[in-house]
Amino acid sequence: MSKNTDPHSFTVSYLQKSGGLSEKSAISASQKLLIETPEKADSVLELMRTHGLTQTHIANIIGNRPGLLLADLEGNLRPNMELLKSFGVSGNILGKMLSKESRFLERDLLGTVEFFRAQRFSDEQITSMLKKRPKLFTFNVNTNFRPKLEFFRSLGLTDEDVAKILSWEPSILERSLEKQIIPSVQVFRRVLGTGFDVLKAIKSFYFILEYDLENTLVPNVSTLKSHGVSETLILKMFMMQPRSLLLNPCRFSEVLAEVVKLEFDPNNLLFVLAVRVMATVSKTLWEQKLESFISFGLSRDEVYLAFRLHPLCMLVSEKKIKKLMNFFTHKLNIEPSIISRRPRILRYSLEKRIIPRSSMLQLLMSKGLIKEDFTMISLLSYLAMNEKNFMARWVRKYQNVLPDVVKAHRGEIEFRGLPVILGA
């Protein structure tokens, strides 16, 4: 650089030409560093390029953390880049990661990795944490991580449990031990009863430690109890779908009012299943699913009858509802009202169960091997029959007489329609 060149102007020019920043970003970044000679910055950019970072990645990283251009290459920068590469983090993955959280390149990344290794985390689990929450690797391990790991172990979680939970949901480590994690465990014990297995809940639903349980779970459980729902059923509901109990209490009360309006018995498992479903499905999506059923000739009352008989039928996607109803009504000629009285059938796979079984029954009918009178109801019962009983009742019974039943059951024979018209 010429002695007469303004260092600030040179910095702006360098950031634009070599760093790929816009003029505005370069001017802003130049307020945080001054590049007097290009050698050190060149070596930093070259290091980034050799690890697969594109010019766009580099511009994002330098724009967020311009000081990296003057970082000590052999201090933390190169060792950290090499460490990341050893974990399979390079190229586009590395670029995205550093674009979000570039500051950890200047930290003692190896020290953090060694801490987790000492806590029995595998390199695969550490990699998962790196990719999900790179910000964590800027934290002080002794201040932020060690007390939380010790607390989890004090609950009876094993090293393996802790590593599994935190690698799947590393954001838990960002939560306050005193203000979030410990109070959450205390709420578990207080609200869900002494018979509640806290360890089982944490291992199964570790994400719940990130919720404000005092202002969600507590009032929602209280509302359920005020409607006569037993503690046993509340526990079942929690273990089936805890997120439904973590709704905003106002929305939860609305859901409960709808379930009560539909005359579900609060002492029956169907009650909590209905709450779970209505808490999961948005109002808009609920209406869309209703309209899908109605488009096949069902009334709203018939759809709600199906929901009362088997609430989980409304968890079926709108696309699947249309595919199943189309097959039942147009291919099998089953009355929609009959399906509304046997809604469990909507939970099964069209491709893996319904069509193969229909093809097999079609084959048996066409060969005169089904002697009994078949009705729409009996057909649905056979389509819903568990696999063990179906195999015994139809496949094994006829596979020696008509080997093609095995192929049909495997989905290798096209369904062309039943050879007879079924009665109701």
Side-chain angles (χ1 to χ4, degrees), residues 73-136:
L73 208 63
E74 304 306 326
N76 283 320
L77 200 55
R78 190 188 301 280
N80 283 346
M81 295 287 274
E82 293 299 326
L83 181 64
L84 290 169
K85 184 179 179 180
S86 73
F87 277 92
V89 181
S90 60
N92 192 51
I93 296 174
L94 178 62
K96 289 182 178 179
M97 180 187 295
L98 295 182
S99 295
K100 292 180 180 178
E101 197 58 59
S102 53
R103 57 181 171 160
F104 76 71
L105 280 178
E106 300 173 282
R107 305 302 175 90
D108 179 15
L109 189 57
L110 178 60
T112 303
V113 168
E114 290 300 339
F115 168 81
F116 284 117
R117 281 173 172 164
Q119 304 298 320
R120 308 288 182 84
F121 285 68
S122 68
D123 281 1
E124 290 75 17
Q125 290 170 327
I126 295 171
T127 301
S128 176
M129 296 171 70
L130 264 170
K131 291 178 178 178
K132 291 177 181 178
R133 305 298 292 182
K135 179 181 178 181
L136 285 173

Side-chain angles (χ1 to χ4, degrees), residues 4-235:
N4 297 321
T5 302
D6 176 11
H8 183 266
S9 297
F10 176 77
T11 301
V12 173
S13 176
Y14 184 90
L15 290 170
Q16 286 182 266
K17 293 179 181 178
S18 299
L21 275 67
S22 66
E23 181 180 6
K24 181 179 179 181
S25 296
I27 292 172
S28 175
S30 70
Q31 307 302 314
K32 301 174 184 177
L33 83 162
L34 195 64
I35 302 174
E36 296 183 350
T37 58
E39 289 79 15
K40 178 174 280 192
D42 283 347
S43 63
V44 170
L45 293 177
E46 180 60 24
L47 177 67
M48 291 183 176
R49 294 188 186 106
T50 59
H51 283 78
L53 300 185
T54 65
Q55 191 63 41
T56 300
H57 293 143
I58 291 172
N60 289 334
I61 294 164
I62 299 306
N64 293 331
R65 202 85 176 163
L68 278 173
L69 285 173
L70 300 181
D72 180 1
L73 208 63
E74 304 306 326
N76 283 320
L77 200 55
R78 190 188 301 280
N80 283 346
M81 295 287 274
E82 293 299 326
L83 181 64
L84 290 169
K85 184 179 179 180
S86 73
F87 277 92
V89 181
S90 60
N92 192 51
I93 296 174
L94 178 62
K96 289 182 178 179
M97 180 187 295
L98 295 182
S99 295
K100 292 180 180 178
E101 197 58 59
S102 53
R103 57 181 171 160
F104 76 71
L105 280 178
E106 300 173 282
R107 305 302 175 90
D108 179 15
L109 189 57
L110 178 60
T112 303
V113 168
E114 290 300 339
F115 168 81
F116 284 117
R117 281 173 172 164
Q119 304 298 320
R120 308 288 182 84
F121 285 68
S122 68
D123 281 1
E124 290 75 17
Q125 290 170 327
I126 295 171
T127 301
S128 176
M129 296 171 70
L130 264 170
K131 291 178 178 178
K132 291 177 181 178
R133 305 298 292 182
K135 179 181 178 181
L136 285 173
F137 289 78
T138 68
F139 293 4
N140 182 294
V141 295
N142 290 311
T143 302
N144 291 283
F145 302 155
R146 194 181 299 278
K148 293 166 189 172
L149 269 60
E150 290 174 351
F151 174 73
F152 287 133
R153 292 190 183 103
S154 74
L155 295 174
L157 294 171
T158 65
D159 289 343
E160 183 182 6
D161 292 333
V162 173
K164 180 181 178 181
I165 289 170
L166 296 179
S167 61
W168 274 101
E169 198 77 18
S171 53
I172 291 173
L173 286 171
E174 296 180 53
R175 302 293 183 257
S176 167
L177 179 61
E178 291 76 18
K179 296 179 181 179
Q180 177 73 40
I181 297 173
I182 293 176
S184 293
V185 174
Q186 291 172 337
V187 169
F188 282 158
R189 289 173 172 155
R190 187 178 81 248
V191 176
L192 298 174
T194 55
F196 182 66
D197 191 336
V198 174
L199 283 187
K200 183 178 179 180
I202 293 175
K203 285 192 281 188
S204 301
F205 314 114
Y206 34 81
F207 60 84
I208 206 170
L209 294 172
E210 301 185 72
Y211 281 81
D212 180 1
L213 300 184
E214 197 65 55
N215 291 308
T216 52
L217 182 65
V218 172
N220 290 343
V221 168
S222 178
T223 302
L224 283 171
K225 288 181 177 179
S226 72
H227 281 79
V229 183
S230 68
E231 185 174 285
T232 300
L233 280 180
I234 293 172
L235 287 177

Side-chain angles (χ1 to χ4, degrees), residues 194-377:
T194 55
F196 182 66
D197 191 336
V198 174
L199 283 187
K200 183 178 179 180
I202 293 175
K203 285 192 281 188
S204 301
F205 314 114
Y206 34 81
F207 60 84
I208 206 170
L209 294 172
E210 301 185 72
Y211 281 81
D212 180 1
L213 300 184
E214 197 65 55
N215 291 308
T216 52
L217 182 65
V218 172
N220 290 343
V221 168
S222 178
T223 302
L224 283 171
K225 288 181 177 179
S226 72
H227 281 79
V229 183
S230 68
E231 185 174 285
T232 300
L233 280 180
I234 293 172
L235 287 177
K236 283 184 179 180
M237 183 177 180
F238 181 85
M239 296 310 292
M240 286 189 298
Q241 181 54 267
R243 291 185 194 274
S244 58
L245 285 169
L246 301 175
L247 279 183
N248 176 286
C250 291
R251 171 63 183 145
F252 189 80
S253 294
E254 289 177 4
V255 167
L256 211 57
E258 288 295 321
V259 172
V260 171
K261 184 178 177 182
L262 291 171
E263 300 182 345
F264 280 91
D265 180 357
N267 293 308
N268 192 294
L269 181 60
L270 291 177
F271 184 95
V272 296
L273 288 177
V275 172
R276 170 196 167 186
V277 172
M278 297 195 82
T280 303
V281 181
S282 69
K283 292 180 180 179
T284 300
L285 187 55
W286 182 272
E287 285 300 319
Q288 290 172 349
K289 291 182 179 184
L290 273 175
E291 291 303 322
S292 293
F293 281 118
I294 290 170
S295 70
F296 286 92
L298 289 173
S299 67
R300 280 184 169 254
D301 286 343
E302 286 174 318
V303 179
Y304 277 107
L305 169 64
F307 179 63
R308 285 195 294 271
L309 292 172
H310 187 65
L312 298 182
C313 72
M314 288 300 280
L315 288 182
V316 176
S317 71
E318 188 181 0
K319 180 180 178 181
K320 184 177 179 180
I321 288 170
K322 291 178 178 178
K323 286 173 62 178
L324 283 166
M325 290 298 292
N326 182 67
F327 185 82
F328 289 139
T329 58
H330 296 138
K331 300 293 185 180
L332 297 180
N333 297 312
I334 297 176
E335 293 293 334
S337 60
I338 291 178
I339 298 169
S340 72
R341 295 194 293 273
R342 286 162 182 77
R344 187 180 295 272
I345 196 71
L346 296 166
R347 297 279 291 166
Y348 299 121
S349 168
L350 180 64
E351 294 77 13
K352 295 179 180 179
R353 176 190 285 245
I354 304 300
I355 292 178
R357 290 190 179 188
S358 297
S359 297
M360 206 199 74
L361 294 170
Q362 159 202 282
L363 184 63
L364 292 171
M365 285 182 183
S366 67
K367 298 298 182 180
L369 293 174
I370 293 181
K371 303 299 184 182
E372 60 191 86
D373 291 333
F374 242 48
T375 64
M376 296 179 188
I377 293 173

